[in-house]
């Protein structure tokens, strides 16, 4: 079975810490309780004494058929997840599979699966691969980022369930042009520093960027797509490094090497700059062989395996996890217990 983070388009949400009381939120019995309560919501029942029911009229959800099941389970690191799946295939029944040990240090979050007759929808609550801090209250657990893949009406019902059950505040996490370029810079750095240039070119492939313009600036031109072949990406980085060395010797901070070269290219062709203080032009989408990110708050991570690497030591997956950690760190900014994202 494929690792749940990969090859799905997700909407990105930011969450305040989840309140779960004295219960261990990763305890299998506790997870079963959460799943059971969500089943009641989706099938129609009572939650905390209140009659609830899901009356979604989404066309896509209608084609998915009837609701079948809901599961909550820990999301482990990729290596342990795949190892667990292999072990599950070897056991005789589901009870044996549930008894398998889940190493605490390998937890990456929670996976929630909503099984319909013809489709599977999912949500992933993510934690940092090496948490930068700990909440000094055992009644709360931090999952700064929530990824959802489900139709709008179903997602709304699910988010309401999370908010009511865990007293958490949820908002779609839009990505600024500056932060998107930071994500790209880190991914290019991590993949280009791998042992082989073949690995870099096979993963990143062609790089596509969408540059957007506010309506007052260009009423007839809302966006511009720029395509950079994989053979030219390293050249952009080298050119940007030279430009940044000159700028460091002069005034002010610099952007990343690739973004600096891209900004110079756009400046020469369109007489516009991508610098952070320029509100007239921004990156709204980045797509390459490793990921797709959209400023409105969407992400897709694509699965690759580096040649001659095993599941436990895969530099491409490590680069992807660093990308996810960067997203989580951004989500954690100014987001504490009881603080609403603004």
């Amino acid at each position: 079975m494929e690792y749940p983070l990969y090859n799905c388009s997700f909407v990105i949400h930011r969450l305040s810490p989840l309140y779960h009381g004295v219960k261990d939120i990763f305890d299998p019995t506790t997870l079963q309780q959460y799943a059971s309560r969500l089943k009641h919501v989706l099938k129609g029942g009572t939650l905390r004494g209140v009659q609830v029911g899901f009356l979604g009229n989404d066309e896509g959800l209608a084609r998915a058929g009837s609701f079948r099941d809901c599961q909550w389970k820990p999301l482990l690191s990729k290596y342990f997840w795949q190892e667990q799946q292999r072990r599950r295939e070897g056991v005789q029944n589901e009870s044996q599979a549930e008894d398998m040990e889940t190493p605490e240090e390998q937890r990456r979050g929670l996976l929630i699966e909503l099984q319909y007759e013809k489709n599977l929808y999912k949500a992933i609550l993510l934690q940092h691969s090496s948490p930068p801090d700990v909440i000094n209250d055992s009644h709360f657990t931090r999952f700064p980022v929530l990824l959802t893949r489900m139709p709008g009406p179903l997602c709304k019902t699910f988010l309401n369930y999370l908010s009511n059950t865990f007293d958490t505040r949820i908002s779609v996490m839009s990505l600024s042009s500056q932060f998107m370029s930071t994500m790209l810079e880190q991914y290019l750095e991590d993949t280009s520093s791998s042992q082989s240039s073949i690995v870099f070119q096979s993963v990143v492939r062609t790089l596509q960027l969408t540059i957007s313009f506010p309506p007052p600036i260009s009423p007839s031109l809302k966006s511009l797509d720029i395509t950079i072949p994989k053979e030219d990406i390293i050249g952009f980085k080298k050119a940007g490094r030279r430009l940044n060395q000159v700028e460091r010797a002069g005034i002010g901070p610099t952007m990343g090497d690739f973004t600096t070269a891209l900004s110079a290219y756009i400046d020469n062709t369109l007489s516009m700059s991508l610098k952070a203080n320029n509100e007239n032009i921004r990156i709204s989408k980045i797509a390459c062989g490793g990921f797709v990110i959209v400023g409105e708050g969407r992400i897709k991570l694509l699965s690759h395996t580096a040649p001659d690497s095993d599941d436990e030591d895969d530099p491409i997956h490590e680069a992807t996890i660093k990308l996810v950690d960067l997203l989580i760190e951004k989500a954690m900014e100014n987001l504490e217990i009881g603080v609403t994202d603004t």
Side-chain angles (χ1 to χ4, degrees):
M1 180 181 292
E2 189 169 55
Y3 194 56
L5 275 176
Y6 284 129
N7 299 329
C8 283
S9 295
F10 292 105
V11 176
I12 310 168
H13 307 266
R14 180 182 298 191
L15 276 73
S16 63
L18 274 63
Y19 175 79
H20 48 81
V22 297
K23 298 179 180 179
D24 176 6
I25 197 169
F26 286 102
D27 178 75
T29 301
T30 301
L31 293 179
Q32 288 179 2
Q33 292 173 352
Y34 294 143
S36 177
R37 292 169 186 169
L38 183 53
K39 284 181 187 179
H40 281 296
V41 173
L42 297 179
K43 286 185 174 181
T46 58
L47 180 64
R48 292 183 178 179
V50 179
Q51 185 69 28
V52 294
F54 174 57
L55 301 175
N57 55 2
D58 181 81
E59 182 179 346
L61 188 58
R63 290 196 299 267
S66 59
F67 173 73
R68 293 295 180 83
D69 195 17
C70 169
Q71 292 189 355
W72 290 50
K73 48 192 172 186
L75 176 69
L76 305 181
S77 64
K78 182 184 176 184
Y79 171 76
F80 277 87
W81 173 271
Q82 293 176 334
E83 186 65 23
Q84 187 183 68
Q85 298 309 307
R86 296 188 190 103
R87 292 170 62 190
R88 284 179 180 272
E89 293 173 0
V91 300
Q92 298 299 317
N93 56 60
E94 187 64 24
S95 62
Q96 287 179 289
E98 291 176 355
D99 290 338
M100 292 178 181
E101 183 180 356
T102 301
E104 183 174 348
E105 67 276 9
Q106 296 298 329
R107 292 172 181 166
R108 295 293 178 263
L110 289 174
L111 171 65
I112 301 164
E113 295 180 329
L114 306 178
Q115 181 67 62
Y116 281 74
E117 184 179 1
K118 299 178 182 178
N119 211 343
L120 176 67
Y121 302 111
K122 60 185 175 182
I124 303 176
L125 293 95
L126 288 171
Q127 294 181 314
H128 201 283
S129 62
S130 44
D133 61 358
V134 177
I135 299 175
N136 294 322
D137 190 334
S138 60
H139 295 177
F140 288 87
T141 299
R142 191 192 301 279
F143 298 97
V145 168
L146 165 68
L147 305 179
T148 59
R149 178 190 176 273
M150 57 187 72
L154 178 60
C155 186
K156 182 178 179 180
T157 299
F158 172 69
L159 296 182
N160 286 338
Y161 172 80
L162 286 184
S163 180
N164 293 332
T165 302
F166 300 103
D167 194 24
T168 182
R169 291 157 177 80
I170 309 171
S171 61
V172 173
M173 182 177 172
S174 59
L175 309 177
S176 68
S177 175
Q178 185 178 8
F179 180 66
M180 291 173 69
S181 67
T182 299
M183 294 180 73
L184 175 62
E185 292 283 354
Q186 176 171 294
Y187 192 78
L188 292 179
E189 182 64 28
D190 290 337
T191 52
S192 63
S193 62
S194 61
Q195 297 178 353
S196 171
S197 61
I198 299 177
V199 172
F200 172 76
Q201 293 191 3
S202 65
V203 174
V204 177
R205 301 176 184 172
T206 300
L207 178 60
Q208 297 177 319
L209 302 100
T210 299
I211 309 299
S212 298
F213 312 94
I217 302 301
S218 181
S220 59
L221 181 63
K222 295 182 179 180
S223 64
L224 177 68
D225 293 331
I226 298 176
T227 300
I228 302 175
K230 59 185 179 182
E231 297 83 3
D232 295 338
I233 295 175
I234 296 297
F236 265 76
K237 285 175 59 65
K238 291 180 179 178
R241 189 174 300 115
R242 291 193 296 268
L243 291 171
N244 277 338
Q245 288 173 348
V246 173
E247 188 168 343
R248 289 188 186 101
I251 57 172
T254 61
M255 297 180 291
D257 294 339
F258 179 85
T259 310
T260 295
L262 178 64
S263 180
Y265 170 78
I266 294 175
D267 192 14
N268 290 334
T269 55
L270 300 177
S271 298
M272 303 185 82
S273 174
L274 270 177
K275 291 186 176 180
N277 59 358
N278 185 0
E279 299 180 355
N280 297 328
I281 178 174
R282 59 186 177 85
I283 298 173
S284 58
K285 181 179 179 180
I286 299 175
C288 66
F291 66 89
V292 180
I293 49 176
V294 181
E296 295 173 349
R298 296 197 301 275
I299 189 169
K300 183 176 184 179
L301 304 171
L302 302 171
S303 177
H304 296 277
T305 301
D308 302 323
S309 67
D310 54 34
D311 292 338
E312 195 170 7
D313 186 23
D314 183 354
I316 298 176
H317 177 69
E318 290 178 3
T320 302
I321 292 303
K322 287 183 180 180
L323 200 69
V324 173
D325 282 347
L326 189 64
L327 185 66
I328 292 172
E329 290 164 11
K330 185 67 176 178
M332 289 176 63
E333 293 180 2
N334 302 320
L335 189 58
E336 298 297 335
I337 298 174
V339 178
T340 305
D341 180 35
T342 57

